[in-house]
């Protein structure tokens, strides 16, 4: 795993932060997670850690648009001996999520770590992909501090506004119970009501 972390740093590929990862692994362990959907594969680091913490034989479906990252992740899944448990979808997340929904897929855990400005756009589809009692783990809600700025730089305005919409949607959703954590870059853990 140290090599995978090093690889991410060298290639400037963001991976899940350490304290956030501890919570993510804990969620996988404590809830006997069997089916995982990850939006944003990157190097495969978080996917591997989730599979190692989930129920034995758990399955991971992971979505990544960047072809180079897909190849890198596939190689890492292979090295860590989990490739047989993984389905990698090399596509735009919105299109991939819609296809998964149309095919009636359901998941115990959804790890949302893809394009930050798109979380709100994905939200209604994600909810339809959740099993009863499923968990949605949404990462990077603070957007490296941008979310709390009074004056948002123009180039980040749309992303920040969309993230605020997503956070409000989580807070006001009747189907989910959400807790927010101001740890690392901020994340939330939402549980679907039974």
């Amino acid at each position: 795993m140290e090599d995978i972390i090093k690889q991410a740093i060298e290639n400037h590929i963001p991976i899940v932060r350490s304290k956030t990862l501890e919570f993510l692994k804990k969620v996988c362990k404590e809830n006997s997670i069997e089916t995982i959907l990850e939006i944003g594969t990157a190097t495969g680091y978080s996917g591997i850690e989730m599979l190692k913490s989930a129920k034995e034989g758990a399955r991971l479906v992971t979505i990544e648009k960047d072809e180079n990252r897909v190849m890198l992740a596939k190689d890492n899944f292979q090295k860590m001996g989990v490739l047989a448990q993984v389905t990698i979808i090399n596509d735009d997340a919105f299109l991939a999520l819609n296809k998964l929904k149309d095919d009636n897929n359901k998941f115990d855990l959804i790890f949302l770590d893809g394009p930050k400005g798109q979380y709100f756009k994905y939200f209604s589809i994600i909810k339809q992909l959740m099993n009863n009692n499923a968990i949605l783990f949404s990462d990077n809600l603070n957007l490296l501090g941008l979310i709390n700025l009074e004056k948002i730089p123009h180039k980040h305005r749309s992303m920040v506004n969309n993230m605020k919409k997503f956070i409000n949607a989580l807070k006001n959703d009747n189907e989910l119970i959400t807790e927010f954590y101001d740890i690392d870059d901020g994340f939330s853990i939402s549980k679907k009501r039974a």
Side-chain angles (χ1 to χ4, degrees):
M1 291 307 279
E2 291 304 315
D3 286 348
I4 295 173
I5 295 168
K6 196 174 153 200
Q7 180 186 65
I9 293 164
E10 284 170 3
N11 291 291
H12 308 287
I13 300 170
I15 57 170
V16 64
R17 291 167 172 79
S18 59
K19 287 178 187 158
T20 305
L21 181 62
E22 288 312 308
F23 274 82
L24 187 56
K25 286 161 65 173
K26 193 175 165 200
V27 164
C28 288
K29 271 193 188 88
E30 290 178 357
N31 296 280
S32 298
I33 299 297
E34 290 182 53
T35 51
I36 305 164
L37 173 62
E38 176 182 47
I39 300 147
T41 313
T43 63
Y45 175 65
S46 48
I48 292 163
E49 290 286 13
M50 286 189 286
L51 283 173
K52 281 166 49 181
S53 305
K55 201 168 180 180
E56 194 176 334
R59 303 265 324 146
L60 169 70
V61 174
T62 183
I63 303 167
E64 178 58 61
K65 191 175 181 178
D66 185 311
E67 212 167 305
N68 293 326
R69 291 183 184 185
V70 168
M71 299 309 291
L72 197 59
K74 195 172 183 180
D75 192 38
N76 289 331
F77 289 135
Q78 180 79 54
K79 280 181 196 159
M80 298 306 291
V82 296
L83 187 59
Q85 295 168 256
V86 181
T87 302
I88 306 172
I89 301 172
N90 182 199
D91 201 353
D92 173 80
F94 188 66
L95 298 176
L97 289 168
N98 272 299
K99 180 151 182 17
L100 288 167
K101 176 186 65 95
D102 292 346
D103 292 342
N104 296 311
N105 285 279
K106 298 278 185 188
F107 299 90
D108 299 331
L109 172 69
I110 299 177
F111 180 43
L112 180 54
D113 194 24
K116 311 308 165 202
Q118 302 298 311
Y119 283 19
F120 182 69
K121 184 180 174 184
Y122 301 157
F123 187 49
S124 64
I125 308 164
I126 283 172
K127 285 203 311 178
Q128 295 174 68
L129 292 167
M130 295 172 80
N131 276 326
N132 290 337
N133 296 314
I135 293 162
L136 168 62
F137 194 116
S138 309
D139 200 9
N140 305 112
L141 300 186
N142 290 339
L143 299 173
L144 301 172
L146 287 171
I147 205 83
N148 298 316
L149 289 182
E150 245 173 67
K151 194 163 169 45
I152 302 151
H154 184 72
K155 69 175 183 175
H156 299 301
R157 206 165 288 158
S158 170
M159 177 179 67
V160 171
N161 288 336
N162 285 335
M163 183 61 86
K164 284 180 176 175
K165 276 194 219 167
F166 174 69
I167 291 166
N168 282 331
L170 285 177
K171 285 178 180 172
N172 298 305
D173 195 282
N174 296 325
E175 293 172 66
L176 303 175
I177 302 161
T178 301
E179 285 187 50
F180 294 88
Y181 297 83
D182 199 14
I183 294 168
D184 291 336
D185 193 27
F187 59 88
S188 63
I189 299 174
S190 309
K191 190 151 192 170
K192 194 170 186 180
R193 294 177 193 270

